[in-house]
Amino acid sequence: MTGAPSETGAPAEPEPSDADVIAAARRDPERFADLFDRHYGDIHRYVDRRLGADAADDIAAETFLIAFRRRAVFDPAHTSARPWLYGIATRLISRHRRDELRRYKAMARMRTADVVESHESSVTSAVDAASFGLSPALARLRHGDRDVLLLVALAELSYPEVAEALGIAYGTVCSRLSRARKQVRAALRASGHDEEDDRG
């Protein structure tokens, strides 16, 4: 697919893929800034929602520092670097597991006026809704199940992308997500928010 016509009328060059940018950054390290510009905001938001703003600055920055140092081993068969970057961030988050659990427990003690408007987005929206009892459920999840659930719910990765990010089999993603969702649904029902379907 070609880009929009340039001022001369010729088709503009298509935007390089993440793999193209990383390959170029192996020869010209400054090109890595393009990857940072594309994905830093999303990685920061993901870490923020799991650990809070204070940790997000440091972990998001460290994610890209690690990615830069490992750019030579990035698999160019993957055109998008999103799963790779989220995988790095998730492994860094795992070092702060106790902080994350404390955060969920603190959120569970809070009251919030947030309302989940549709079941289609209930898992994503309720991640921050302590009144629906999801924070205690997240704190009780096995860390591997929680990582899978939040990569789907917060990072909006597909199942194959989650498998790539965490270096696990597709079937493992499915089984972990199934376990996590059962616990989440039970928590939502216990708090009076009954799910009507299993979409998502």
Side-chain angles (χ1 to χ4, degrees), residues 40 45 64 85 95 110 132 137 142 175-176 192-193:
Y40 177 82
R45 278 188 291 275
F64 283 89
L85 294 169
R95 299 177 186 173
M110 294 167 55
F132 289 126
R142 298 177 186 175
S175 62
R176 288 183 182 180
H193 182 66

Side-chain angles (χ1 to χ4, degrees), residues 88-166:
I88 295 171
T90 299
R91 283 186 285 278
L92 292 173
I93 287 169
S94 72
R95 299 177 186 173
H96 300 265
R97 198 169 294 140
R98 290 180 182 175
D99 294 336
E100 184 177 26
L101 294 179
R102 280 195 292 268
R103 176 175 167 81
Y104 290 140
K105 288 174 183 176
M107 288 171 64
R109 293 191 294 268
M110 294 167 55
R111 300 301 296 174
T112 177
D114 290 347
V115 176
V116 177
E117 296 180 354
S118 73
H119 293 292
E120 192 167 284
S121 60
S122 62
V123 172
T124 303
S125 300
V127 163
D128 294 323
S131 63
F132 289 126
L134 190 57
S135 293
L138 289 173
R140 287 193 297 268
L141 290 177
R142 298 177 186 175
H143 72 268
D145 295 354
R146 183 167 58 246
D147 287 342
V148 168
L149 176 67
L150 296 180
L151 282 169
V152 171
L154 300 183
E156 299 181 357
L157 296 187
S158 67
Y159 293 10
E161 287 177 326
V162 173
E164 181 187 337
L166 299 180

